[in-house]
Amino acid sequence: MLRVIRNATIHDVPRISEIINSHAEFGKMLFKSFAQLFEALRDFAVYVDDATGEVVGCVGVSIIWADLTEVRSLAVDNRYRGRGIGSQLVKWCIEEARRLGIRKLMSLTYEQRFFEKLGFEVVPKESLPLKVWTDCVKCPKNLNCDEIAMVLTLADIPEPHIPLATPTPRGVSIPVLRWEED
Ligand SMILES: CC(C)(COP(=O)(O)OP(=O)(O)OC[C@H]1O[C@@H](n2cnc3c(N)ncnc32)[C@H](O)[C@@H]1OP(=O)(O)O)[C@@H](O)C(=O)NCCC(=O)NCCS
């Protein structure tokens, strides 16, 4: 029997690329090359249509720090949107964060309502650690980023006894890591 959500394998990469880039074309998310997808593939899960075996959605969850993961590259094939697939993929990320013992998930998104329904809350971008912005260097929007930062805290997971990442320091422009001149 097909498992509806499963970890991605290299065989899924062309299809993941197709789904993500179909939305990236319309500015909804960042383009991903095969090289980027191979590199991050361990972070990825795919949603499989159990009738056809076709991959129709994907998501990645990457570890930012001991207390923070990021939901990335969430995308559902346009033909399958509005059927609960996106929500199930985010729930897979939540389970993955739990398995890892990480109490917060974040997303940079335009889909505020969608993430609110899953318990995420809008936070100031400055409250997130500097490491979050590394992808922005590659983003065409760069300094004009209009994405919304959202966080979900899994309150039942204890805070780690590991030094936490500090918020983005003052004087660093967001989202690009460029020091502002005095
Ligand atoms: C955003 C996206 C992943 C949602 O996936 P989906 O499978 O269509 O969403 P779901 O069917 O799970 O929707 C869950 C709930 O969110 C709501 N929702 C989904 N998209 C929404 C939107 N754009 N605005 C408001 N509500 C939305 C749904 O109506 C549904 O509500 P309900 O539970 O009351 O019925 C999908 O539309 C997509 O791939 N968009 C393009 C790429 C993108 O923007 N990715 C996000 C990058 S962070």
Side-chain angles (χ1 to χ4, degrees):
M1 196 172 75
L2 272 178
R3 287 182 58 203
V4 173
I5 295 183
R6 60 164 171 78
N7 293 98
T9 72
I10 48 156
H11 306 292
D12 299 316
V13 165
R15 184 67 184 129
I16 293 174
S17 153
E18 194 172 64
I19 298 172
I20 291 176
N21 294 337
S22 72
H23 296 302
E25 252 178 73
F26 297 96
K28 289 270 184 186
M29 52 200 306
L30 281 180
F31 276 96
K32 291 284 177 199
S33 65
F34 273 29
Q36 287 171 310
L37 292 173
F38 288 137
E39 194 178 35
L41 197 63
R42 283 177 201 270
D43 292 344
F44 269 82
V46 291
Y47 187 104
V48 180
D49 177 347
D50 55 3
T52 63
E54 187 186 19
V55 167
V56 297
C58 62
V59 75
V61 64
S62 57
I63 301 173
I64 303 291
W65 204 260
D67 64 338
L68 188 63
T69 57
E70 181 176 359
V71 176
R72 287 188 175 168
S73 302
L74 171 65
V76 175
D77 182 317
N78 264 330
R79 293 169 297 154
Y80 287 80
R81 284 167 76 174
R83 300 189 195 178
I85 295 173
S87 308
Q88 288 187 59
L89 285 165
V90 175
K91 286 176 185 159
W92 178 87
C93 296
I94 296 171
E95 287 315 306
E96 194 61 7
R98 276 188 191 288
R99 184 182 71 76
L100 292 160
I102 300 181
R103 74 193 304 260
K104 286 186 186 169
L105 296 97
M106 59 152 288
S107 172
L108 292 169
T109 186
Y110 300 111
E111 298 292 349
Q112 183 177 340
R113 280 298 300 138
F114 168 79
F115 278 99
E116 276 171 352
K117 286 191 168 180
L118 290 158
F120 285 72
E121 290 173 1
V122 176
V123 296
K125 285 182 178 158
E126 299 75 20
S127 66
L128 299 171
L130 194 57
K131 195 168 177 268
V132 168
W133 312 112
T134 45
D135 260 8
C136 304
V137 179
K138 302 167 212 151
C139 176
K141 292 199 179 168
N142 211 280
L143 281 176
N144 301 313
C145 174
D146 49 358
E147 288 187 326
I148 303 159
M150 301 189 73
V151 167
L152 171 71
T153 302
L154 307 173
D156 55 318
I157 294 190
E159 298 227 12
H161 297 294
I162 299 172
L164 298 184
T166 48
T168 303
R170 287 171 70 87
V172 176
S173 56
I174 289 178
V176 176
L177 312 183
R178 186 180 298 155
W179 292 99
E180 285 170 349
E181 300 296 330
D182 285 331

